[in-house]
Amino acid sequence: DAGVIQSPRHEVTEMGQEVTLRCKPISGHNSLFWYRQTMMRGLELLIYFNNNVPIDDSGMPEDRFSAKMPNASFSTLKIQPSEPRDSAVYFCASSPRTGANEQYFGPGTRLTVT
Amino acid sequence: AQSVTQLDSQVPVFEEAPVELRCNYSSSVSVYLFWYVQYPNQGLQLLLKYLSGSTLVESINGFEAEFNKSQTSFHLRKPSVHISDTAEYFCAVSENSGTYKYIFGTGTRLKVLA
């Protein structure tokens, strides 16, 4: 299995631009999680989906952030407009079922907003 | 609300020495507990997990953790560390109540010295 795939691995953009991060979960997994990791705030859960439906988006910092999961094999996290404080590593993780099962993390997207 | 505390942000230790990384949690319901490891520029990987049953759980690379309900702890130990164990270690808790969310600690950076 290829594992969780994220693209791009690195993104550098200017403040005000739209940024789209992509994630392909492991085939057969029905839960998907988006996290943000920074030195200051550590690892934060932004949103998670179960069977393509957003279950909890309470971690999404503000309306500039949005996430979609149009099908079981693809999800996007969009930031519009981006700001320098959005600079972080964004991780996508998938799980074969919610609850006890472990989450499998992708390699992350390092976002730098200048 | 649940929370996870990793008191040590950094732990330096000499090669072949024992190490303990501390993790305490708070929750009003029963929980599942996890340790994840993050190597530089990589995503998180599951190291071990406690779901139920034996309170002592082990990983394939010599780490072990013991669930202590009375002390609400899940400390990670290894009797003899290797240089390759240098990484950041995250403790995580998931409530066994259908919320399906993981709460991660702030991480402990283990640096193994030659």
Side-chain angles (χ1 to χ4, degrees):
Chain A
D1 200 320
V4 176
I5 299 173
Q6 291 187 248
S7 64
R9 293 293 310 276
H10 301 273
E11 177 80 32
V12 181
T13 191
E14 293 183 347
M15 182 174 64
Q17 297 298 306
E18 176 180 297
V19 175
T20 300
L21 311 181
R22 297 173 176 80
C23 175
K24 177 179 170 55
I26 293 172
S27 177
H29 285 193
N30 63 355
S31 295
L32 184 139
F33 306 80
W34 281 102
Y35 291 89
R36 178 173 67 177
Q37 186 178 39
T38 61
M39 289 293 292
M40 292 296 293
R41 301 175 67 88
L43 197 62
E44 305 171 277
L45 176 65
L46 300 178
I47 185 172
Y48 79 92
F49 296 82
N50 190 32
N51 293 323
N52 311 337
V53 176
I55 302 300
D56 186 343
D57 65 354
S58 60
M60 296 286 264
E62 47 196 277
D63 292 345
R64 297 185 297 106
F65 286 70
S66 63
K68 293 182 180 180
M69 192 165 186
N71 56 61
S73 59
F74 183 65
S75 177
T76 60
L77 178 67
K78 184 179 293 186
I79 308 173
Q80 166 66 19
S82 58
E83 297 183 1
R85 60 192 169 122
D86 301 330
S87 297
V89 181
Y90 291 81
F91 289 105
C92 175
S94 69
S95 177
R97 71 168 190 265
T98 52
N101 275 32
E102 59 263 31
Q103 298 179 15
Y104 296 80
F105 280 74
T109 295
R110 183 174 297 276
L111 173 65
T112 303
V113 183
T114 61
Chain B
Q2 54 184 324
S3 66
V4 178
T5 301
Q6 292 182 248
L7 289 173
D8 306 305
S9 59
Q10 293 189 66
V11 174
V13 62
F14 285 103
E15 193 173 20
E16 297 184 5
V19 70
E20 178 180 82
L21 307 184
R22 295 179 293 169
C23 173
N24 288 88
Y25 70 92
S26 66
S27 176
S28 58
V29 300
S30 62
V31 296
Y32 302 128
L33 294 157
F34 306 83
W35 276 99
Y36 281 79
V37 59
Q38 184 180 29
Y39 299 103
N41 299 315
Q42 294 186 27
L44 279 70
Q45 303 171 33
L46 180 70
L47 191 59
L48 45 75
K49 62 184 177 183
Y50 170 78
L51 304 181
S52 64
S54 173
T55 57
L56 184 66
V57 291
E58 300 177 350
S59 72
I60 58 174
N61 57 354
F63 283 93
E64 65 178 30
E66 185 161 20
F67 170 55
N68 188 317
K69 187 175 181 179
S70 62
Q71 296 186 8
T72 60
S73 67
F74 191 55
H75 300 332
L76 181 70
R77 302 183 182 94
K78 189 170 185 180
S80 176
V81 295
H82 302 288
I83 296 288
S84 59
D85 293 325
T86 294
E88 189 147 20
Y89 293 80
F90 292 90
C91 181
V93 61
S94 175
E95 288 189 347
N96 184 13
S97 62
T99 61
Y100 311 133
K101 287 167 58 171
Y102 286 22
I103 301 299
F104 281 90
T106 51
T108 297
R109 189 173 300 275
L110 174 64
K111 184 169 179 60
V112 181
L113 308 170

